[in-house]
């Protein structure tokens, strides 16, 4: 039976280990970094549709929003409003670069702690903001928190998790992102009724998860890999035994030592990633996954769902409530990913979701094209159809490209380029999120419903990528990816072949063919 074969090969790849309480607790605490990230994603859409907030910081948008006969697709188009949402991601790109060094030199745990301090500072600044400057400064601090948190948390979880549970545990990070988004929208729903300072509660609420992350991070232990990498071998071995729940960790320990020995020979991981052919497969797959994750169009829904629903003619309340519905689907579907990713594998989830998201985006675009013109109000039942399509789209994303966009880049790099490689993935995510946050409202204004077809086209490309270029990483120990995954892939194995030897081989073959031809012509 194929199922049996899969289970066997999975355990063949694994080292002796149990799923210990220690690993579970550490993963969940670290995943609170995801809660912070999710809260920040979810809160901005609702806050930017609150009149009190707009009146104080963006009076022009407030006037435009309430102008009769304003073009449906353009009423929120304002670059400062977009800058409020997207400034966070600019800061995150820069800080994740710093975080990649910090993470390597000081370890994963302190990086998570720095993230929580930035989060706390950002939440306080935003809650007491008196002008646009303070507001943006708060967003920049939150962005620095996201940069540090998103750099360290997925790596932390992938390094402490036993290989056969790594997918599910790592997706706890994404699960908490989705819970953060949901909580943010529920809070927005209530605070939108608290005039005139409801928005302050919404923005200040980010302090809650920041404090939990800060206190929780005192309890977690550093990963064995990071300890050993920094010369603390004894402590590393002790932590390894504790988190694996078995004494026989010799094989895994020596695998980590090997990986560290190799890593030591690499003086500049960034140069190595860019210049060495054998690093290209991971670099390409890790970063392109994040580009694709964002170009599904997910953040159009996450940031601007309330704005989008208001555009379609739903009232303010109904819009916020609809966002809560889509966010709940997001959480539920992420749970499905946790339980399936280590059984059916990464690629199957990605490929199935491509089809689901493609249908949803295309039908949504067609419905809006037909029923939402520049100045009409869309009939309610069509708005409900669009809401259902958004749920279909979000669920597909939530069990595939959402969590796997973080999981796969955190597990495919060898130790010597892990932090640096993951930096490329995180910063690519932030860059693409920034681009979408900064341009979506203007794109919506110019392209109207065509914007959904734009995302649909990207989804087709990412489907081809998942089918042809992405190898399966389910159940493979993190320090054995090169041997067991990349060197066996039909295309990427070429990056490991010795070029000199290959050319020699080709020349020999050419020579043989020529010899044969000469023999024939002589005969
Ligand atoms: C993405 C975010 C997105 C969220 C939605 C994350 O994996 O990185 O950009 O908003 O998923 O759940």
């Amino acid at each position: 039976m194929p199922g049996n074969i899969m289970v066997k090969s999975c355990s063949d790849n694994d080292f002796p280990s149990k799923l210990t309480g220690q690993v579970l607790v550490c993963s969940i605490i670290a995943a609170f970094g995801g809660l912070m990230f999710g809260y920040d994603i979810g809160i901005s859409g609702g806050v930017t549709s609150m009149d009190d907030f707009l009146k104080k910081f963006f009076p022009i948008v407030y006037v435009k929003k309430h102008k009769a006969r304003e073009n449906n697709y353009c009423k929120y188009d304002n670059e400062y409003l977009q800058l409020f949402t997207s400034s966070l991601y600019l800061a995150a790109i820069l800080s994740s670069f710093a975080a990649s060094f910090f993470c390597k030199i000081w370890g994963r745990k302190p990086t998570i702690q720095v993230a929580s301090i930035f989060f706390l500072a950002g939440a306080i600044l935003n809650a007491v903001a008196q002008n646009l400057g303070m507001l943006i400064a708060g967003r920049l601090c939150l962005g620095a928190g996201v940069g540090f948190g998103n750099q360290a948390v997925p790596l932390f979880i992938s390094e402490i998790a036993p290989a056969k549970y790594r997918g599910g545990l790592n997706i706890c990070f994404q699960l908490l992102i989705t819970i953060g988004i949901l909580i943010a929208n529920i809070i927005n729903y209530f605070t939108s009724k608290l005039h005139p300072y409801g928005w302050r509660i919404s923005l200040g609420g980010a302090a809650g998860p920041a404090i939990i992350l800060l206190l929780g991070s005192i309890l977690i232990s550093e990963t064995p890999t990071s300890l050993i990498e920094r010369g603390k071998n004894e402590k590393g071995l002790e932590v390894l035994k504790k988190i694996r729940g078995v004494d026989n960790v010799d094989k895994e320990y020596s695998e980590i030592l090997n990986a560290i020995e190799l890593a030591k020979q690499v003086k500049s991981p960034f140069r190595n990633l860019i210049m060495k052919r054998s690093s290209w497969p991971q670099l390409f797959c890790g970063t392109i996954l994040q580009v694709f994750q964002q170009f599904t169009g997910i953040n159009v829904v996450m940031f601007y769902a309330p704005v989008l629903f208001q555009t379609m003619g739903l009232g303010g309340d109904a819009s916020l409530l609809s966002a809560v519905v889509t966010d709940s689907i997001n959480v539920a579907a992420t749970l499905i990913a946790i339980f399936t990713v280590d059984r059916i594998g990464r690629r199957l989830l990605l490929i199935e979701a491509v089809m689901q998201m493609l249908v949803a985006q295309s039908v949504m675009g067609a419905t809006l094209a037909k029923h939402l013109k520049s100045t009409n109000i869309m009939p309610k039942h069509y708005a409900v159809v669009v809401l259902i399509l958004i749920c279909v789209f979000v669920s597909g994303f939530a069990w595939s490209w959402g969590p796997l966009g973080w999981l796969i880049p955190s597990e495919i790099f060898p130790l010597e380029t892990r932090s640096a490689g993951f930096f490329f993935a995180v910063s690519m995510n932030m860059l693409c999120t920034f681009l979408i946050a900064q341009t979506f409202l203007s794109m919506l204004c110019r392209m109207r419903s065509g914007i959904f077809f734009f995302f649909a086209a990207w989804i087709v490309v990412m489907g081809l990528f998942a089918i042809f270029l992405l190898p399966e990483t389910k159940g493979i120990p993190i320090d054995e990816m090169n041997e067991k995954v990349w060197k066996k892939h039909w295309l990427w194995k070429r990056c490991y072949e010795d070029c000199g030897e290959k050319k020699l081989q080709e020349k020999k073959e050419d020579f043989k063919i020529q010899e044969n031809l000469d023999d024939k012509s002589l005969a």
Side-chain angles (χ1 to χ4, degrees):
M1 231 171 75
N4 284 343
I5 294 167
M6 262 164 36
V7 172
K8 187 163 182 294
S9 72
C10 169
S11 49
D12 275 347
N13 281 326
D14 211 356
F15 302 117
S17 67
K18 294 181 194 148
L19 182 58
T20 57
Q22 177 92 3
V23 164
L24 271 178
V25 171
C26 286
S27 304
I28 291 170
I29 292 178
F32 265 83
L35 189 77
M36 282 299 322
F37 179 40
Y39 190 87
D40 293 328
I41 293 171
I43 213 72
S44 45
V47 166
T48 49
S49 67
M50 288 181 198
D51 284 351
D52 294 323
F53 177 82
L54 290 178
K55 254 190 269 172
K56 182 153 178 74
F57 298 107
F58 305 95
I60 300 174
V61 183
Y62 174 74
V63 172
K64 222 170 152 195
K65 179 179 164 188
H66 291 276
K67 241 197 207 162
R69 313 203 128 260
E70 180 66 67
N71 185 325
N72 269 330
Y73 289 100
C74 300
K75 54 180 156 189
Y76 289 92
D77 179 16
N78 176 286
E79 57 205 25
Y80 290 107
L81 189 62
Q82 294 182 136
L83 191 62
F84 165 73
T85 303
S86 58
S87 53
L88 186 152
Y89 298 93
L90 265 191
I93 298 173
L94 298 178
S95 64
S96 57
F97 184 61
S100 73
F101 289 102
F102 197 96
C103 205
K104 194 171 163 61
I105 298 170
W106 301 98
R108 314 331 186 196
K109 177 174 163 165
T111 315
I112 295 176
Q113 285 167 333
V114 172
S116 60
I117 294 169
F118 272 124
F119 280 136
L120 195 56
I124 296 171
L125 262 174
N126 268 348
V128 301
Q130 293 305 322
N131 49 45
L132 197 55
M134 279 178 90
L135 197 68
I136 302 284
R139 292 288 286 176
L140 294 178
C141 277
L142 291 174
V146 169
F148 273 73
N150 287 20
Q151 175 73 28
V153 172
L155 283 186
F156 175 87
I157 302 180
S158 282
E159 283 182 350
I160 61 165
K164 65 180 167 218
Y165 301 112
R166 188 177 60 236
L169 285 172
N170 190 293
I171 295 178
C172 289
F173 174 67
Q174 174 75 12
L175 180 69
L176 280 159
I177 295 180
T178 60
I179 295 178
I181 299 175
L182 175 64
I183 294 177
N185 274 305
I186 295 176
I187 291 184
N188 275 343
Y189 178 71
F190 290 108
T191 55
S192 64
K193 299 181 177 63
L194 300 178
H195 302 289
Y197 292 131
W199 61 270
R200 287 193 191 278
I201 302 176
S202 288
L203 294 179
I211 292 171
I212 300 180
L213 183 63
L214 183 59
L215 297 180
S217 65
I218 297 169
L219 301 176
I220 60 180
S221 39
E222 182 55 273
T223 71
T225 311
S226 175
L227 285 167
I228 301 169
E229 194 181 15
R230 287 175 297 120
K232 301 180 179 172
N233 292 32
E234 254 175 52
K235 178 89 183 132
L237 182 60
E238 186 194 315
V239 173
L240 188 61
K241 285 183 181 163
K242 207 155 137 198
I243 62 174
R244 294 289 173 258
V246 292
D247 279 337
N248 175 18
V249 292
D250 297 352
K251 205 169 154 223
E252 185 169 3
Y253 182 66
S254 75
E255 196 64 54
I256 297 177
L257 286 179
N258 276 345
I260 289 172
E261 216 32 63
L262 271 179
K264 276 192 189 141
Q265 289 161 20
V266 174
K267 292 283 164 291
S268 164
F270 281 97
R271 182 158 352 117
N272 189 284
L273 269 175
I274 294 166
M275 308 299 284
K276 243 180 101 191
R277 267 161 59 107
S278 57
S279 300
W280 294 347
Q282 302 96 324
L283 185 62
F284 174 75
C285 291
T287 42
I288 201 82
L289 261 166
Q290 291 283 20
V291 175
F292 287 153
Q293 187 207 58
Q294 288 306 311
F295 279 86
T296 53
I298 185 66
N299 279 324
V300 164
V301 179
M302 294 299 136
F303 298 146
Y304 299 116
V307 167
L308 208 65
F309 290 131
Q310 286 198 14
T311 300
M312 295 182 321
L314 294 183
D317 243 21
S319 300
L320 283 175
L321 206 58
S322 311
V324 171
V325 172
T326 50
D327 295 343
S328 309
I329 302 273
N330 197 12
V331 176
T334 307
L335 279 170
I336 296 179
I338 291 187
F339 293 107
T340 50
V341 70
D342 291 314
R343 295 202 171 95
I344 66 173
R346 282 70 166 144
R347 292 181 66 242
L348 199 60
L349 285 172
L350 292 172
I351 294 166
E352 185 282 333
V354 156
M355 294 185 258
Q356 191 171 326
M357 293 190 299
L358 182 62
V359 171
Q361 287 278 26
S362 320
V363 181
M364 202 144 66
T367 314
L368 289 180
K370 192 140 188 261
H371 302 288
L372 184 66
K373 306 289 176 218
S374 296
T375 50
N376 73 330
I377 291 184
M378 193 158 90
K380 276 264 150 51
H381 53 277
Y382 285 118
V384 173
V385 170
V386 174
L387 177 63
I388 294 171
L389 288 168
I390 289 184
C391 290
V392 172
F393 167 76
V394 167
S395 60
F397 174 89
W399 60 56
S400 60
W401 295 83
L404 300 180
W406 294 105
L407 167 63
I408 298 176
S410 76
E411 65 184 10
I412 54 177
F413 290 96
L415 183 63
E416 61 268 26
T417 50
R418 193 168 295 153
S419 267
F422 197 60
F423 153 75
F424 279 101
V426 176
S427 53
M428 192 51 82
N429 178 288
M430 297 303 145
L431 180 66
C432 296
T433 311
F434 169 78
L435 287 177
I436 290 190
Q438 188 63 30
T439 55
F440 171 68
L441 293 176
S442 316
M443 276 167 82
L444 180 68
C445 177
R446 282 182 198 106
M447 295 170 74
R448 297 156 190 248
S449 51
I451 191 157
F452 296 96
F453 296 110
F454 166 78
F455 289 122
W458 274 94
I459 293 175
V460 173
V461 179
M462 64 185 76
L464 297 175
F465 163 77
I467 294 172
F468 296 110
L469 297 183
L470 188 72
E472 180 58 64
T473 47
K474 179 192 78 168
I476 312 284
I478 189 164
D479 289 313
E480 294 187 355
M481 290 288 169
N482 270 2
E483 294 304 319
K484 292 192 168 153
V485 174
W486 300 104
K487 289 187 183 174
K488 299 214 163 112
H489 186 267
W490 70 272
L491 176 68
W492 302 124
K493 70 179 177 198
R494 290 170 192 224
C495 294
Y496 295 86
E497 283 164 2
D498 181 344
C499 288
E501 199 156 290
K502 200 167 164 233
K503 278 202 182 124
L504 205 69
Q505 191 74 24
E506 278 167 8
K507 274 199 182 138
K508 273 186 195 161
E509 265 157 29
D510 284 352
F511 187 67
K512 256 193 211 157
I513 294 170
Q514 193 56 47
E515 255 188 349
N516 281 345
L517 286 177
D518 290 349
D519 286 352
K520 273 187 193 154
S521 65
L522 277 179

